[in-house]
Amino acid sequence: MRIVKNLRKDKIGMISLLIIVVTVIVGIFAPLLAPSDPNEVNMSLRYASPSWEFLLGNDHLGRCIFSRIIYGIQPSVLWVLVVLLVSVLIGAILGFLAGYYRGVVDAVIMRMCDTMLSFPGYVMALAIIGVLGVGLENILIAFALIKWAWFARIIRTSVMQYTELNYVRFSKACGVSDMKIIFKHIVPVTFSDIAVISSGSIGSMILQISGFSFLGLGIQAPNAEWGMMLNEAREVMFTRPELMLAPGLAIIIVVSSFNFLSDSLQVAIDPKLANSKNKRKDTIPLSKMKVRENEVAN
């Protein structure tokens, strides 16, 4: 409740949360909200200008851009959220085991994470796509296989600092089972940290999905996806740049919303960050003070 109250005070965070919620709802109910079929080809409307029937105009095949933007939420955002939940779940289980039990368990799990993290993310994803083949499903599988190691390492660090607290040690001394200690004492205090790192990483995952689709490795035609829409509009980017505007703005707005929400969650969890930011704003560097004094003197 304290985190929710602190988050409500942040206008940017609340606006970002509202944008994300609206985007998710629109993506879920895309078949009901889209004004037309996103894959319907009508060459007579090729490159048609925006109208009341087609709010954002039509693409090179006469398809409704607005409907394709709405349907593009599903692969660009919703499926990314699903993969994120799977990655966080795997990373959290292994991170809790490594951070709580330590010893051999920690060593084995961390060596697995080191092996996965030793390869650059894009290179690893391309290798998995090369083995499994091109397609959105294979990219999502690649992300799930890559991201869990990063989450496991971050969550392990968070768990280790809480296992040293006095009430956790007291529970161990009283003979409370490990699973009860983890779920009752450690999971609640680490949940906020997990929420922050999850909201911070989803923006990069959306950009990566769009990037792979832009390269032709993601979702295949005729299905709608924001990165693929940018790729389709690339051929006429100089003659009709407005075709790249809608999917580009959609990616920018959604990714920025997740990044702003992540920053707001950090401040809501630790209000000291907000106080430190205010102090930095109120504190004027000595060099700037001297410049202002010279301006006043002149």
Short mmCIF file of all heavy atoms in Angstrom, two decimals, residues 83-95 108-117 124 128 141-156 197 205:
data_model
loop_
_atom_site.label_atom_id
_atom_site.label_comp_id
_atom_site.label_asym_id
_atom_site.label_seq_id
_atom_site.Cartn_x
_atom_site.Cartn_y
_atom_site.Cartn_z
N VAL A 83 6.49 -13.79 -22.18
CA VAL A 83 7.87 -14.28 -22.11
C VAL A 83 8.58 -13.70 -20.89
O VAL A 83 9.37 -14.39 -20.24
CB VAL A 83 8.62 -13.93 -23.41
CG1 VAL A 83 10.09 -14.30 -23.29
CG2 VAL A 83 7.99 -14.66 -24.58
N LEU A 84 8.31 -12.44 -20.60
CA LEU A 84 8.92 -11.82 -19.42
C LEU A 84 8.51 -12.54 -18.14
O LEU A 84 9.35 -12.81 -17.27
CB LEU A 84 8.52 -10.35 -19.34
CG LEU A 84 9.06 -9.57 -18.14
CD1 LEU A 84 10.55 -9.33 -18.29
CD2 LEU A 84 8.32 -8.26 -17.97
N LEU A 85 7.22 -12.89 -18.02
CA LEU A 85 6.75 -13.60 -16.83
C LEU A 85 7.42 -14.96 -16.71
O LEU A 85 7.81 -15.37 -15.61
CB LEU A 85 5.23 -13.75 -16.89
CG LEU A 85 4.41 -12.46 -16.72
CD1 LEU A 85 2.92 -12.75 -16.91
CD2 LEU A 85 4.65 -11.83 -15.36
N VAL A 86 7.56 -15.66 -17.83
CA VAL A 86 8.22 -16.97 -17.81
C VAL A 86 9.68 -16.83 -17.40
O VAL A 86 10.19 -17.58 -16.56
CB VAL A 86 8.11 -17.66 -19.19
CG1 VAL A 86 8.93 -18.93 -19.22
CG2 VAL A 86 6.66 -17.95 -19.52
N SER A 87 10.37 -15.84 -17.97
CA SER A 87 11.78 -15.62 -17.64
C SER A 87 11.96 -15.23 -16.19
O SER A 87 12.87 -15.73 -15.51
CB SER A 87 12.37 -14.54 -18.55
OG SER A 87 12.24 -14.88 -19.91
N VAL A 88 11.10 -14.34 -15.71
CA VAL A 88 11.18 -13.91 -14.30
C VAL A 88 10.89 -15.08 -13.37
O VAL A 88 11.53 -15.23 -12.33
CB VAL A 88 10.22 -12.74 -14.04
CG1 VAL A 88 10.12 -12.44 -12.55
CG2 VAL A 88 10.68 -11.50 -14.78
N LEU A 89 9.91 -15.92 -13.73
CA LEU A 89 9.57 -17.06 -12.89
C LEU A 89 10.75 -18.03 -12.78
O LEU A 89 11.12 -18.46 -11.67
CB LEU A 89 8.35 -17.78 -13.46
CG LEU A 89 7.85 -19.01 -12.68
CD1 LEU A 89 7.44 -18.60 -11.27
CD2 LEU A 89 6.69 -19.67 -13.41
N ILE A 90 11.36 -18.36 -13.92
CA ILE A 90 12.53 -19.26 -13.89
C ILE A 90 13.68 -18.62 -13.13
O ILE A 90 14.33 -19.25 -12.28
CB ILE A 90 12.96 -19.62 -15.32
CG1 ILE A 90 11.84 -20.39 -16.04
CG2 ILE A 90 14.24 -20.46 -15.30
CD1 ILE A 90 12.12 -20.64 -17.50
N GLY A 91 13.95 -17.34 -13.43
CA GLY A 91 15.03 -16.64 -12.76
C GLY A 91 14.80 -16.49 -11.27
O GLY A 91 15.73 -16.59 -10.46
N ALA A 92 13.53 -16.26 -10.87
CA ALA A 92 13.22 -16.10 -9.45
C ALA A 92 13.42 -17.40 -8.69
O ALA A 92 13.98 -17.42 -7.58
CB ALA A 92 11.78 -15.60 -9.29
N ILE A 93 12.96 -18.52 -9.27
CA ILE A 93 13.13 -19.81 -8.59
C ILE A 93 14.60 -20.12 -8.38
O ILE A 93 15.04 -20.46 -7.26
CB ILE A 93 12.44 -20.93 -9.41
CG1 ILE A 93 10.92 -20.72 -9.41
CG2 ILE A 93 12.79 -22.30 -8.83
CD1 ILE A 93 10.18 -21.68 -10.31
N LEU A 94 15.39 -19.98 -9.44
CA LEU A 94 16.82 -20.28 -9.33
C LEU A 94 17.54 -19.24 -8.47
O LEU A 94 18.46 -19.58 -7.72
CB LEU A 94 17.45 -20.35 -10.72
CG LEU A 94 16.93 -21.46 -11.63
CD1 LEU A 94 17.57 -21.39 -13.00
CD2 LEU A 94 17.18 -22.83 -11.00
N GLY A 95 17.11 -17.98 -8.57
CA GLY A 95 17.73 -16.93 -7.76
C GLY A 95 17.46 -17.12 -6.28
O GLY A 95 18.36 -16.91 -5.45
N VAL A 108 26.62 -23.98 -8.49
CA VAL A 108 26.14 -24.63 -9.71
C VAL A 108 25.26 -23.68 -10.52
O VAL A 108 25.43 -23.52 -11.74
CB VAL A 108 25.37 -25.92 -9.36
CG1 VAL A 108 24.70 -26.50 -10.61
CG2 VAL A 108 26.31 -26.95 -8.74
N ILE A 109 24.30 -23.02 -9.83
CA ILE A 109 23.38 -22.12 -10.54
C ILE A 109 24.12 -20.93 -11.13
O ILE A 109 23.87 -20.52 -12.27
CB ILE A 109 22.25 -21.66 -9.59
CG1 ILE A 109 21.38 -22.85 -9.20
CG2 ILE A 109 21.41 -20.57 -10.25
CD1 ILE A 109 20.30 -22.51 -8.19
N MET A 110 25.07 -20.38 -10.38
CA MET A 110 25.81 -19.22 -10.88
C MET A 110 26.72 -19.58 -12.05
O MET A 110 26.95 -18.78 -12.94
CB MET A 110 26.62 -18.59 -9.75
CG MET A 110 25.78 -17.80 -8.75
SD MET A 110 24.83 -16.45 -9.55
CE MET A 110 23.18 -17.18 -9.65
N ARG A 111 27.27 -20.79 -12.05
CA ARG A 111 28.09 -21.18 -13.20
C ARG A 111 27.20 -21.33 -14.44
O ARG A 111 27.65 -21.03 -15.55
CB ARG A 111 28.80 -22.50 -12.89
CG ARG A 111 29.82 -22.46 -11.79
CD ARG A 111 30.97 -21.49 -12.00
NE ARG A 111 30.61 -20.10 -11.77
CZ ARG A 111 30.48 -19.54 -10.56
NH1 ARG A 111 30.66 -20.25 -9.46
NH2 ARG A 111 30.17 -18.26 -10.45
N MET A 112 25.98 -21.81 -14.27
CA MET A 112 25.05 -21.88 -15.39
C MET A 112 24.74 -20.47 -15.91
O MET A 112 24.72 -20.24 -17.12
CB MET A 112 23.76 -22.59 -14.95
CG MET A 112 23.93 -24.06 -14.62
SD MET A 112 22.46 -24.76 -13.82
CE MET A 112 21.19 -24.40 -15.02
N CYS A 113 24.52 -19.54 -14.98
CA CYS A 113 24.24 -18.15 -15.38
C CYS A 113 25.45 -17.53 -16.08
O CYS A 113 25.29 -16.82 -17.08
CB CYS A 113 23.85 -17.32 -14.16
SG CYS A 113 22.28 -17.79 -13.40
N ASP A 114 26.64 -17.80 -15.56
CA ASP A 114 27.85 -17.26 -16.19
C ASP A 114 28.00 -17.77 -17.62
O ASP A 114 28.42 -17.03 -18.51
CB ASP A 114 29.08 -17.63 -15.37
CG ASP A 114 29.11 -16.93 -14.01
OD1 ASP A 114 28.42 -15.90 -13.88
OD2 ASP A 114 29.81 -17.42 -13.10
N THR A 115 27.67 -19.04 -17.81
CA THR A 115 27.76 -19.61 -19.15
C THR A 115 26.79 -18.94 -20.11
O THR A 115 27.15 -18.60 -21.25
CB THR A 115 27.48 -21.13 -19.11
OG1 THR A 115 28.39 -21.76 -18.21
CG2 THR A 115 27.60 -21.74 -20.49
N MET A 116 25.55 -18.71 -19.66
CA MET A 116 24.56 -18.08 -20.51
C MET A 116 24.88 -16.62 -20.77
O MET A 116 24.70 -16.12 -21.88
CB MET A 116 23.17 -18.20 -19.87
CG MET A 116 22.65 -19.61 -19.73
SD MET A 116 22.44 -20.44 -21.33
CE MET A 116 21.24 -19.38 -22.11
N LEU A 117 25.38 -15.92 -19.75
CA LEU A 117 25.66 -14.49 -19.88
C LEU A 117 27.00 -14.21 -20.55
O LEU A 117 27.30 -13.04 -20.85
CB LEU A 117 25.64 -13.83 -18.50
CG LEU A 117 24.29 -13.84 -17.78
CD1 LEU A 117 24.41 -13.27 -16.37
CD2 LEU A 117 23.24 -13.05 -18.57
N MET A 124 23.42 -14.72 -29.16
CA MET A 124 22.77 -15.93 -28.66
C MET A 124 21.39 -16.10 -29.28
O MET A 124 21.00 -17.21 -29.68
CB MET A 124 22.65 -15.86 -27.14
CG MET A 124 22.26 -17.16 -26.47
SD MET A 124 23.59 -18.36 -26.53
CE MET A 124 22.90 -19.65 -25.49
N ILE A 128 20.06 -19.21 -31.71
CA ILE A 128 18.87 -20.01 -31.43
C ILE A 128 17.89 -19.93 -32.59
O ILE A 128 17.28 -20.95 -32.99
CB ILE A 128 18.21 -19.54 -30.12
CG1 ILE A 128 19.15 -19.80 -28.94
CG2 ILE A 128 16.88 -20.26 -29.90
CD1 ILE A 128 18.65 -19.25 -27.62
N ILE A 141 11.04 -17.95 -27.66
CA ILE A 141 11.76 -19.04 -26.98
C ILE A 141 13.21 -18.62 -26.72
O ILE A 141 13.76 -18.89 -25.63
CB ILE A 141 11.71 -20.32 -27.84
CG1 ILE A 141 10.27 -20.85 -27.91
CG2 ILE A 141 12.63 -21.39 -27.27
CD1 ILE A 141 10.10 -22.01 -28.87
N ALA A 142 13.82 -17.96 -27.69
CA ALA A 142 15.20 -17.50 -27.52
C ALA A 142 15.31 -16.51 -26.37
O ALA A 142 16.23 -16.58 -25.55
CB ALA A 142 15.71 -16.87 -28.82
N PHE A 143 14.37 -15.60 -26.27
CA PHE A 143 14.39 -14.63 -25.17
C PHE A 143 14.22 -15.31 -23.82
O PHE A 143 14.89 -14.94 -22.84
CB PHE A 143 13.28 -13.60 -25.37
CG PHE A 143 13.64 -12.52 -26.34
CD1 PHE A 143 14.84 -12.54 -27.02
CD2 PHE A 143 12.78 -11.47 -26.58
CE1 PHE A 143 15.18 -11.55 -27.92
CE2 PHE A 143 13.11 -10.47 -27.47
CZ PHE A 143 14.31 -10.51 -28.15
N ALA A 144 13.32 -16.29 -23.76
CA ALA A 144 13.12 -16.99 -22.49
C ALA A 144 14.37 -17.75 -22.07
O ALA A 144 14.70 -17.81 -20.87
CB ALA A 144 11.93 -17.95 -22.62
N LEU A 145 15.09 -18.32 -23.04
CA LEU A 145 16.31 -19.06 -22.72
C LEU A 145 17.46 -18.15 -22.33
O LEU A 145 18.39 -18.57 -21.63
CB LEU A 145 16.72 -19.92 -23.93
CG LEU A 145 15.77 -21.06 -24.30
CD1 LEU A 145 16.25 -21.75 -25.57
CD2 LEU A 145 15.65 -22.07 -23.16
N ILE A 146 17.42 -16.90 -22.77
CA ILE A 146 18.51 -15.97 -22.51
C ILE A 146 18.28 -15.16 -21.24
O ILE A 146 19.17 -15.00 -20.41
CB ILE A 146 18.71 -15.03 -23.72
CG1 ILE A 146 19.16 -15.82 -24.94
CG2 ILE A 146 19.73 -13.94 -23.39
CD1 ILE A 146 19.14 -15.00 -26.22
N LYS A 147 17.07 -14.63 -21.08
CA LYS A 147 16.80 -13.64 -20.03
C LYS A 147 16.79 -14.22 -18.62
O LYS A 147 17.05 -13.51 -17.65
CB LYS A 147 15.46 -12.96 -20.30
CG LYS A 147 15.42 -12.12 -21.57
CD LYS A 147 16.31 -10.91 -21.46
CE LYS A 147 16.22 -10.03 -22.69
NZ LYS A 147 17.08 -8.83 -22.58
N TRP A 148 16.49 -15.52 -18.48
CA TRP A 148 16.35 -16.07 -17.13
C TRP A 148 17.64 -15.96 -16.34
O TRP A 148 17.61 -15.75 -15.11
CB TRP A 148 15.91 -17.53 -17.20
CG TRP A 148 16.97 -18.47 -17.71
CD1 TRP A 148 17.13 -18.91 -18.97
CD2 TRP A 148 18.02 -19.08 -16.96
NE1 TRP A 148 18.20 -19.75 -19.08
CE2 TRP A 148 18.78 -19.87 -17.85
CE3 TRP A 148 18.41 -19.03 -15.61
CZ2 TRP A 148 19.89 -20.60 -17.44
CZ3 TRP A 148 19.51 -19.75 -15.20
CH2 TRP A 148 20.25 -20.53 -16.11
N ALA A 149 18.78 -16.08 -17.01
CA ALA A 149 20.06 -16.04 -16.31
C ALA A 149 20.30 -14.66 -15.70
O ALA A 149 20.80 -14.55 -14.57
CB ALA A 149 21.19 -16.41 -17.27
N TRP A 150 19.94 -13.62 -16.44
CA TRP A 150 20.12 -12.26 -15.93
C TRP A 150 19.22 -12.01 -14.73
O TRP A 150 19.64 -11.45 -13.72
CB TRP A 150 19.82 -11.27 -17.05
CG TRP A 150 20.09 -9.85 -16.67
CD1 TRP A 150 21.29 -9.22 -16.59
CD2 TRP A 150 19.10 -8.88 -16.30
NE1 TRP A 150 21.12 -7.91 -16.20
CE2 TRP A 150 19.80 -7.67 -16.01
CE3 TRP A 150 17.72 -8.90 -16.19
CZ2 TRP A 150 19.14 -6.51 -15.62
CZ3 TRP A 150 17.06 -7.75 -15.79
CH2 TRP A 150 17.77 -6.57 -15.52
N PHE A 151 17.96 -12.46 -14.82
CA PHE A 151 17.04 -12.30 -13.70
C PHE A 151 17.50 -13.11 -12.49
O PHE A 151 17.39 -12.65 -11.35
CB PHE A 151 15.63 -12.73 -14.10
CG PHE A 151 14.93 -11.75 -15.00
CD1 PHE A 151 14.55 -12.11 -16.28
CD2 PHE A 151 14.65 -10.46 -14.58
CE1 PHE A 151 13.92 -11.21 -17.11
CE2 PHE A 151 14.00 -9.55 -15.39
CZ PHE A 151 13.64 -9.93 -16.67
N ALA A 152 18.00 -14.32 -12.72
CA ALA A 152 18.46 -15.16 -11.61
C ALA A 152 19.60 -14.49 -10.85
O ALA A 152 19.63 -14.50 -9.61
CB ALA A 152 18.89 -16.52 -12.13
N ARG A 153 20.53 -13.89 -11.57
CA ARG A 153 21.67 -13.24 -10.91
C ARG A 153 21.22 -12.02 -10.10
O ARG A 153 21.67 -11.82 -8.97
CB ARG A 153 22.71 -12.85 -11.96
CG ARG A 153 23.93 -12.16 -11.37
CD ARG A 153 24.98 -11.96 -12.44
NE ARG A 153 25.62 -13.22 -12.79
CZ ARG A 153 26.60 -13.76 -12.09
NH1 ARG A 153 27.05 -13.18 -10.99
NH2 ARG A 153 27.13 -14.90 -12.47
N ILE A 154 20.34 -11.20 -10.68
CA ILE A 154 19.87 -10.01 -9.98
C ILE A 154 19.05 -10.38 -8.74
O ILE A 154 19.24 -9.82 -7.65
CB ILE A 154 19.03 -9.13 -10.92
CG1 ILE A 154 19.87 -8.66 -12.11
CG2 ILE A 154 18.47 -7.92 -10.17
CD1 ILE A 154 21.03 -7.78 -11.74
N ILE A 155 18.15 -11.36 -8.89
CA ILE A 155 17.30 -11.75 -7.77
C ILE A 155 18.12 -12.42 -6.68
O ILE A 155 17.85 -12.24 -5.48
CB ILE A 155 16.17 -12.68 -8.28
CG1 ILE A 155 15.23 -11.89 -9.20
CG2 ILE A 155 15.38 -13.28 -7.12
CD1 ILE A 155 14.22 -12.74 -9.94
N ARG A 156 19.13 -13.19 -7.06
CA ARG A 156 20.01 -13.82 -6.07
C ARG A 156 20.67 -12.77 -5.18
O ARG A 156 20.75 -12.92 -3.96
CB ARG A 156 21.08 -14.64 -6.79
CG ARG A 156 22.27 -15.03 -5.90
CD ARG A 156 23.37 -15.64 -6.73
NE ARG A 156 24.56 -15.92 -5.94
CZ ARG A 156 25.58 -15.08 -5.82
NH1 ARG A 156 25.55 -13.89 -6.42
NH2 ARG A 156 26.64 -15.41 -5.10
N ILE A 197 12.97 -4.45 -11.78
CA ILE A 197 13.85 -4.96 -12.84
C ILE A 197 13.03 -5.52 -14.00
O ILE A 197 13.47 -5.46 -15.16
CB ILE A 197 14.82 -6.04 -12.30
CG1 ILE A 197 14.06 -7.25 -11.75
CG2 ILE A 197 15.72 -5.45 -11.23
CD1 ILE A 197 14.98 -8.39 -11.33
N MET A 205 13.18 -5.51 -24.33
CA MET A 205 12.67 -6.70 -25.01
C MET A 205 11.74 -6.31 -26.16
O MET A 205 11.77 -6.94 -27.23
CB MET A 205 11.95 -7.60 -24.01
CG MET A 205 12.86 -8.23 -22.97
SD MET A 205 11.97 -9.25 -21.76
CE MET A 205 11.41 -10.59 -22.80
#
